[in-house]
């Protein structure tokens, strides 16, 4: 959904450019490049991007009718299969776009941050594909729970720099990547992994991801003869969400649900500075973090809270400013499901449809399980990524719970658990 | 709006410490030691949980201060409890300023800061483009708003900043984040040259560690030097070694004297020693 507003940094009151002065010239340079290459297709940038998305990335991804779920919910459920994109998640759309843009801008080095590792993996793949050196910052906690993706980044030739401050998750990794960028800004491009950060990142990442809803909308019309009643996508920072919603925003008859991580509880422990969830749209307050004004999980003083989700990819205290704006405008409905519901949905989709989803994605299906009566006769759910990366977490978390739907875990325990 | 006065007669030494590092009581002693050592303006850090412009040294100081219970309201109490006759500047991130006022924007924070005697603000994540509401509040309550000029700042951006800056301009000596270094970067002189016609004092920070550094910076044309990490290192080492508050304060005072003396030596080496 390209727009011609490259120089408008705001979504209502949200967005903006709250960064150290040293970064501002690079952000102005990037805004100019976004205008020329992405919005105006200068030098055929968008043509090359789309060609590489097709040949290297495997687009278009299918819109699949989910037979078992449709029967279970008595609702036509369609799955946008971003898990089939190269790398196993929607993240490649943005990573490929930004690394290619960096190349057009004459940058010599790529840095990125990652939470679940999917963005880091996608960036490492795009950097290898386009022959750019790449370093990725990742919190220690996330490195421990996302080992397969760490290894994939290394295999693709990227350096992975552990971040040890704080709780060692995405928020700390973003801060650390901004510090690197402030030091190397003259030759380095920072590939932000979601629709967050200072302008133009929220708009530019949305535009790179909007290919998801561009395809899904056309495919839905082709398959069903009309638009769906509802579109569901999980929401952490919000890149698959905005990608999935972008081309439906103007279709007022389509309900848009952003499904957040309810974690273990929606209650916060302000004294400890901990929110046991990542439900920023549902429970956060307006503030300024990582370059943008948006909704945040913060205490009454404005200190950012540690968030929680069983899914590393949703475990972030902020959210994209455009999503915050669309929620305020009542265009997007923020909802959430807890860790247990997401895990149950993970197993259900795996067993019923033969699709092992990312734990992020499983949140959207958890909401569908609980609220299928409310989403209309036709619903499209974005399968934002595949779940291979989450198997160690799923084994550990499933072992700690009594889930009827889960497979018998005793086999894993007999052979020592974990260690895939 | 009076921070300029601190730069009027001689080059200013502007130290930084995170308020409340490693705890409230010790930090009061440490800030007062800086004043005894010759500080002309003191930048007091109000700790924010995501300090994206800071290097490891100040990040760790912020963690210690937050863990010891520092909050914006405690910070204002801290300023009131300080016994120093030196202008104080609050250095913090925009979310704390913004959040203090609930739905009223930055005005309540500035009003409170002015009430306790803060004379200026430095906000590392607030570029001139976003500074309008804070600038208006500072004007209303008579606070200076200090902006940071980076080595990458050029052209229109300088003009925009010049329209809003007051008190002094913080000249970032090198790209990157805060942290003491072993040398002085050429970017300093280039940045000072770009600001040569600005009618506001120019204080150079980022990486200054020794009296010799301060001397070179001032000799290159700066009106003052800002030193943070080299002082925070002294606090951190004292804390880790279990040294007495008095011993650490003495070291801070001595370091402050070294830096101030270096700045004074640098003034005598400036091409045009007469100062306005």
């Amino acid at each position: 959904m390209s727009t011609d507003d490259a120089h408008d940094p705001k979504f209502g009151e949200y967005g903006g450019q709250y960064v150290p002065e040293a970064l501002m010239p690079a952000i102005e340079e990037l805004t100019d490049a976004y205008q020329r290459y992405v919005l105006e297709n200068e030098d055929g940038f968008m043509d090359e991007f789309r060609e590489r998305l097709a040949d290297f990335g495997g687009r278009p991804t299918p819109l699949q009718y989910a037979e078992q779920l449709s029967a279970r919910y008595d609702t036509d459920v369609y799955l946008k299969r971003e898990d089939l994109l190269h790398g196993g998640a929607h993240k490649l759309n943005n990573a490929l776009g930004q690394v290619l843009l960096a190349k057009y801008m004459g940058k010599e080095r790529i840095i990125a941050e990652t939470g679940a590792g999917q963005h880091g993996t996608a960036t490492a793949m795009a950097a290898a594909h386009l022959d750019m050196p790449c370093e990725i910052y990742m919190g220690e906690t996330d490195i421990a729970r996302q080992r397969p993706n760490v290894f994939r980044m290394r295999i693709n030739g990227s350096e992975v720099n552990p971040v040890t401050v704080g709780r060692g998750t995405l928020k700390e990794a973003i801060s650390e990547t901004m510090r690197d960028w402030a030091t190397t800004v003259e030759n380095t491009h920072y590939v932000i992994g979601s629709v967050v950060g200072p302008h133009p990142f929220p708009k530019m990442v949305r535009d790179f991801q909007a290919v998801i809803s561009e395809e899904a909308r056309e495919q839905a019309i082709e398959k069903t003869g009309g638009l769906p009643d509802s579109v569901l996508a999980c929401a952490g920072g919000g890149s698959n969400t905005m990608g999935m919603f972008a081309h439906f925003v103007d279709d007022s008859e389509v309900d848009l649900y952003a499904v957040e991580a309810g974690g273990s509880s929606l209650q916060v422990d302000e004294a400890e500075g901990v929110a046991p969830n990542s439900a920023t749209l549902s429970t956060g307050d307006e503030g300024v973090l990582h370059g943008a004004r948006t909704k945040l999980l913060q205490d009454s003083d404005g200190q950012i809270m540690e968030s929680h989700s069983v899914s590393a990819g949703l475990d972030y205290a902020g959210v994209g400013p455009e999503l915050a704006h669309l929620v305020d405008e009542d265009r997007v409905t923020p909802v959430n499901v807890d860790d247990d519901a997401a895990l149950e949905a993970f197993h259900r989709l795996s067993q019923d449809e033969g699709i092992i989803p990312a734990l992020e994605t499983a949140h959207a299906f958890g909401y569908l399980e609980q609220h299928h009566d409310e989403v209309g006769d036709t619903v499209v759910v974005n399968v934002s990524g595949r779940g291979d990366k989450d198997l160690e977490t799923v084994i550990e978390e499933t072992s700690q719970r009594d889930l009827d739907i889960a497979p018998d875990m005793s086999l894993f325990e007999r052979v020592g658990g974990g260690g895939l | 709006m009076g921070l300029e006065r601190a730069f009027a007669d001689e080059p200013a030494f502007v130290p930084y410490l995170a308020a409340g590092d490693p705890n409230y009581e010790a930090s009061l002693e440490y800030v007062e030691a800086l004043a005894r050592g010759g500080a002309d303006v003191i930048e007091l850090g109000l700790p924010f949980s995501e300090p994206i412009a800071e290097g490891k040294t100040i990040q760790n100081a912020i963690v210690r201060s937050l863990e010891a219970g520092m909050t914006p309201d405690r910070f204002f109490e801290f300023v009131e409890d300080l016994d120093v006759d030196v202008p104080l500047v609050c250095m913090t991130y925009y979310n704390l300023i913004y959040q203090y006022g609930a739905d009223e924007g930055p005005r309540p924070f500035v009003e409170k800061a002015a009430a306790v005697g803060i004379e200026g603000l430095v906000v590392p994540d607030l570029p001139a483009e976003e500074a309008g509401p804070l600038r208006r509040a500072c004007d209303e309550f008579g606070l200076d708003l200090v902006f940071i000029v980076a080595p990458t700042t050029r052209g229109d951006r300088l003009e925009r900043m010049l329209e809003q800056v007051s008190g002094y301009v913080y000249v970032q000596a090198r790209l990157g984040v805060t942290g003491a270094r072993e040398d002085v970067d050429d970017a300093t002189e280039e940045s000072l040259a770009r600001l040569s016609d600005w009618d506001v004092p120019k204080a150079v920070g980022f990486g200054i560690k020794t009296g010799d550094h301060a001397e070179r910076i001032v000799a290159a044309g700066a009106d003052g030097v800002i030193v943070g990490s080299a002082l925070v290192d002294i606090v951190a080492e004292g804390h880790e070694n279990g040294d007495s508050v008095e011993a650490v304060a003495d070291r801070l005072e001595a370091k402050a004297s070294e830096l101030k003396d270096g700045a004074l030596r640098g003034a005598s080496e400036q091409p045009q020693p007469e100062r306005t």
Side-chain angles (χ1 to χ4, degrees), chain A residues 89-407:
Chain A
H90 72 290
K91 294 288 186 182
L92 185 76
N93 300 320
N94 169 51
L96 189 63
Q98 286 201 49
V99 176
L100 186 64
L101 186 66
K103 202 132 183 134
Y104 272 59
M105 292 169 69
K107 300 291 181 184
E108 298 165 358
R109 173 175 175 262
I110 294 295
I111 55 173
E113 92 298 318
T114 197
Q118 282 301 98
H119 172 59
T121 299
T123 305
M125 286 173 167
H129 174 64
L130 292 164
D131 192 24
M132 291 275 269
C134 179
E135 288 183 46
I136 298 189
Y137 290 87
M138 188 168 184
E140 278 195 329
T141 303
D142 288 339
I143 286 177
R145 58 180 171 174
Q146 299 290 340
R147 292 194 307 165
N149 268 341
V150 176
F151 200 52
R152 289 207 290 174
M153 287 177 245
R154 299 286 291 125
I155 288 171
N156 280 298
S158 288
E159 294 295 325
V160 178
N161 302 323
V163 178
T164 57
V165 296
R167 205 164 63 85
T169 58
L170 180 59
K171 142 173 112 62
E172 289 82 14
I174 291 178
S175 291
E176 200 60 30
T177 317
M178 284 198 161
R179 293 187 184 101
D180 181 316
W181 201 29
T183 310
T184 59
V185 63
E186 289 171 311
N187 69 356
T188 297
H189 177 69
Y190 172 13
V191 180
I192 287 185
S194 193
V195 286
V196 300
H199 175 75
F201 283 103
K203 289 187 178 180
M204 185 174 72
V205 175
R206 173 204 66 197
D207 287 350
F208 287 141
Q209 293 291 3
V211 65
I212 302 171
S213 51
E214 183 181 13
E215 288 174 5
R217 192 175 184 282
E218 288 172 8
Q219 291 164 328
I221 291 170
E222 190 178 311
K223 283 180 182 275
T224 70
L227 294 171
D229 295 308
S230 301
V231 175
L232 269 63
C234 61
S239 72
N240 97 84
T241 333
M242 277 315 305
M244 189 65 209
F245 290 173
H247 284 268
F248 290 107
V249 166
D250 292 337
D251 298 321
S252 57
E253 67 272 37
V254 179
D255 294 331
L256 307 175
Y257 292 93
V259 187
E260 299 191 290
S264 56
S265 167
L266 290 186
Q267 303 301 314
V268 302
D269 183 343
E270 181 141 336
E272 288 296 314
V274 174
N277 61 74
S278 303
T280 317
L281 291 167
S282 307
T283 67
D285 295 320
E286 191 180 340
V288 174
L289 177 66
H290 292 145
R293 180 182 296 191
T294 185
K295 286 183 186 287
L296 304 174
L297 299 175
Q298 57 186 327
D299 67 17
S300 56
D301 288 330
Q303 305 291 1
I304 307 306
M305 290 203 171
E306 299 293 349
S307 57
H308 163 78
S309 169
V310 67
S311 163
L314 300 182
D315 194 350
Y316 180 52
V319 67
E322 185 171 16
L323 265 176
H325 175 63
L326 290 172
V327 166
D328 279 4
E329 298 284 299
D330 290 330
R331 181 64 193 97
V332 167
T333 304
V335 295
N336 62 80
V337 297
D338 63 18
D339 288 344
D340 290 353
L343 273 171
E344 280 184 29
F346 173 94
H347 291 296
R348 184 170 299 107
L349 194 67
S350 301
Q351 290 173 25
D352 285 4
E353 296 290 345
I355 297 170
I356 300 174
L359 277 172
E360 293 90 327
T361 303
H363 284 73
F365 287 96
Y367 185 78
L368 185 62
E369 170 75 11
Q370 294 173 355
H371 298 273
H372 52 85
D373 291 343
E374 302 162 23
V375 296
D377 296 331
T378 310
V379 58
V380 175
V381 186
N382 193 22
V383 185
S384 58
R386 71 183 190 217
D388 311 41
K389 68 185 175 64
D390 291 321
L391 293 184
E392 285 191 34
T393 301
V394 170
I395 290 171
E396 184 183 335
E397 295 286 340
T398 303
S399 299
Q400 295 169 10
R401 289 169 168 81
D402 184 20
L403 299 178
D404 290 342
I405 195 170

Side-chain angles (χ1 to χ4, degrees), chain B residues 50-103:
Chain B
E50 314 302 316
I52 59 174
E54 317 295 352
K56 285 279 181 289
T57 301
I58 293 179
Q59 275 186 64
N60 290 336
I62 284 170
V63 169
R64 287 191 295 271
S65 175
L66 287 173
E67 287 181 348
M70 184 51 72
T71 66
D73 281 328
R74 282 289 277 167
F75 177 84
F76 292 132
E77 287 171 28
F78 183 90
V79 173
E80 288 183 311
D81 285 346
L82 272 176
D83 183 16
V84 295
D85 186 22
V86 174
L88 300 172
V89 167
C90 171
M91 186 161 186
T92 193
Y93 287 76
Y94 193 54
N95 198 49
L96 297 192
I97 295 174
Y98 184 76
Q99 200 64 21
Y100 195 79
D103 296 330

